[in-house]
Structure formats: C-alpha cells, structure tokens
Amino acid sequence: MTLILVADAAAAVLVLGLLAIGLLLARRRVLTRRGGTFDCSLRLREGSHGNGWVLGIGRYAGDALEWYRVFSYSMRPRRALPRAGLQVLDRRSPTGIEAFSVLAGSVVVRLRDGDGADGRPVELAMSPDSLTGFLSWVESAPPGVPRR
C-alpha cells in the first residue's frame, strides 16, 4: 500500500516538473514569436567578481527594449529601456568569473538609462551579432526624438 502511495507521489512530482518545464518553453515561444528577440543577460545588481548576472531575452518593442528573465513565468518584462534615454558608455569582454555568468562569446555593453530614476549604468551581455543590431537600433531613433 505504501509503495503505491510513493509511486503515485513520484508520478505526481514528475508530471508537475514536466508541466513547469513545458510552461517555460511555451512562454519563450510566445515571447519570440513576434520577432525582434535575442538572448541577452542583464546585470540586476552590481557586485564584485561577476555577481548579479541573470539570463534573459531582449525584445524590441517599438521604442523600448524589453528584457524578460528566462526562468520566469511572467509575461511582463522585468525591465524596459526606452531608446530615447539610452546612451552607450562602453563595451568590453567579460572578465574573470563573469565569463561564466553570461553566455559564451558574449560582449558586455554598459549603458546609461537616462529615463531611469537614479541614472545608474545598466550592463547587458549579448553576442557580437546581437550587439551590432542593438547598437544600430539605439542609433536609429526616429526624427524629432531628442537624443541625450
């Protein structure tokens, strides 16, 4: 009798785990369906030794870059960076342990979000191809939009 209960509990845990993974995959599919997406890590908190990096998906949505966490069920972006307020400060290769916190071959770009409340720099890590597209998007603001 207890063996049957243990087997039923194990089966339930397995089904719930598969359902959770399936929901994450379905969410990613919905987010990437509209196009304009790329893999992009964001540094949520500043710290030494490469801390604070979170894997995510960047999506161009009009005049903003929306950033979604990979391991989340929320359909709302965790962060939105308006194009008009972005200023590229510099770019670099990941250093030290930071290279293990971001996707292989990534380039780290440091930005200033001028519309942010505190104006602190924002760091994104993406592939060189995605960086080329991102920099082009930042510089291609429509006429009449003030650049900072």
Side-chain angles (χ1 to χ4, degrees):
M1 182 71 169
T2 60
L3 185 59
I4 293 173
L5 291 176
V6 170
D8 286 346
V13 168
L14 180 64
V15 167
L16 288 175
L18 291 174
L19 180 63
I21 292 170
L23 285 174
L24 284 175
L25 293 173
R27 174 184 170 267
R28 183 176 178 105
R29 176 83 172 147
V30 168
L31 289 176
T32 59
R33 178 177 291 165
R34 297 181 198 147
T37 60
F38 58 98
D39 291 327
C40 174
S41 296
L42 174 73
R43 191 173 214 160
L44 289 179
R45 65 181 191 282
E46 294 183 38
S48 60
H49 309 297
N51 291 331
W53 288 101
V54 179
L55 295 175
I57 301 168
R59 180 171 77 177
Y60 301 112
D63 284 331
L65 174 71
E66 296 177 339
W67 183 82
Y68 298 84
R69 292 178 76 122
V70 167
F71 298 108
S72 171
Y73 296 107
S74 175
M75 293 302 292
R76 300 178 75 181
R78 168 75 187 241
R79 185 93 190 250
L81 301 170
R83 176 171 32 191
L86 286 181
Q87 178 185 7
V88 178
L89 301 175
D90 65 359
R91 66 182 111 167
R92 62 181 174 79
S93 296
T95 57
I97 199 162
E98 183 178 57
F100 298 105
S101 300
V102 298
L103 295 172
S106 291
V107 177
V108 176
V109 61
R110 196 164 58 106
L111 311 163
R112 173 159 288 121
D113 177 13
D115 291 342
D118 51 13
R120 289 187 305 174
V122 176
E123 286 185 315
L124 298 172
M126 60 190 82
S127 72
D129 292 339
S130 296
L131 178 61
T132 300
F134 174 75
L135 294 175
S136 176
W137 176 80
V138 168
E139 293 299 322
S140 67
V145 175
R147 297 284 308 155
R148 295 182 182 159

